[in-house]
């Protein structure tokens, strides 16, 4: 049975909380196809000692491995923070159908902010974009995380 929009974003938020508890920036991601969760990911840059181990990248890699293909045409990506330029590029290359994200990122985001990667003429694929889902909860996770780091 397909999960609801709320359930899917809750799963991404749970991944974000787990990342925060591990000392990573609290960002979580989920890849779905037909409403079924294929892959989950959370920030693991410190744990993996890998600057590309963003939540989106982890989830995209896991989904691609599970499906045995680099093209995730019929898949949707749910993430708790607006993707950065690296992740937006990977989303385009993976041919993600729809991108749902919670909190906007005016400083580091590349979807609605900064380079607006999907609007560039050199971008060969742009997903449908649905921002602001569970924005308050995702934003609070990030604010609390960075507040604790500053004290």
């Amino acid at each position: 049975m397909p999960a609801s929009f709320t359930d899917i974003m809750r799963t991404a938020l749970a991944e974000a909380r787990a990342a925060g508890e591990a000392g990573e920036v609290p960002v979580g991601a989920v890849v779905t196809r037909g409403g079924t969760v294929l892959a989950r990911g959370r920030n693991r840059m410190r744990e993996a000692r890998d600057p590309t181990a963003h939540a989106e990248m982890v989830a995209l890699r896991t989904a691609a491995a599970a499906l045995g293909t680099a093209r995730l045409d019929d898949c949707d990506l749910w993430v708790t923070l607006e993707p950065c330029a690296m992740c937006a590029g990977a989303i385009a290359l993976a041919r993600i159908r729809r991108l749902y994200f919670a909190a906007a990122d005016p400083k580091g985001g590349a979807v609605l902010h900064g380079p607006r990667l999907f609007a560039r003429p050199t971008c060969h694929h742009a997903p449908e974009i649905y921002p602001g889902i569970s924005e308050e909860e995702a934003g609070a996770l990030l604010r609390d995380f960075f507040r604790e780091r500053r004290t």
Side-chain angles (χ1 to χ4, degrees):
M1 179 173 153
S4 72
F5 277 25
T6 307
D7 291 340
I8 297 167
M9 190 55 83
R10 272 195 207 122
T11 301
L13 287 163
E15 289 293 325
R17 280 189 289 281
E21 290 166 7
E24 304 275 1
V25 175
V27 178
V30 174
V31 176
T32 62
R33 185 168 70 176
T36 300
V37 173
L38 293 177
R40 305 166 191 228
R42 62 178 175 257
N43 275 359
R44 295 179 179 270
M45 295 182 315
R46 291 173 191 244
E47 172 190 328
R49 293 177 180 84
D50 177 359
T52 70
H54 289 199
E56 301 95 321
M57 301 295 282
V58 172
L60 290 172
R61 287 177 186 136
T62 303
L67 294 175
T69 180
R71 294 275 177 109
L72 304 176
D73 299 294
D74 297 326
C75 297
D76 300 333
L77 177 65
W78 302 73
V79 63
T80 60
L81 183 64
E82 177 181 355
C84 70
M86 175 185 67
C87 293
I91 291 164
L93 291 171
R95 305 297 198 265
I96 287 292
R97 180 179 59 171
R98 294 185 191 111
L99 169 64
Y100 300 89
F101 69 85
D105 187 357
K107 184 177 177 183
V111 175
L112 298 180
H113 297 90
R116 297 178 185 237
L117 187 95
F118 301 131
R120 296 282 179 218
T122 55
C123 184
H124 298 292
H125 172 79
E128 294 174 30
I129 301 166
Y130 300 91
I133 300 166
S134 301
E135 183 173 15
E136 275 303 312
E137 188 173 352
L141 277 172
L142 289 158
R143 282 188 302 275
D144 293 347
F145 177 82
F146 287 111
R147 185 179 308 117
E148 284 180 27
R149 289 284 185 259
R150 287 189 295 269
T151 58

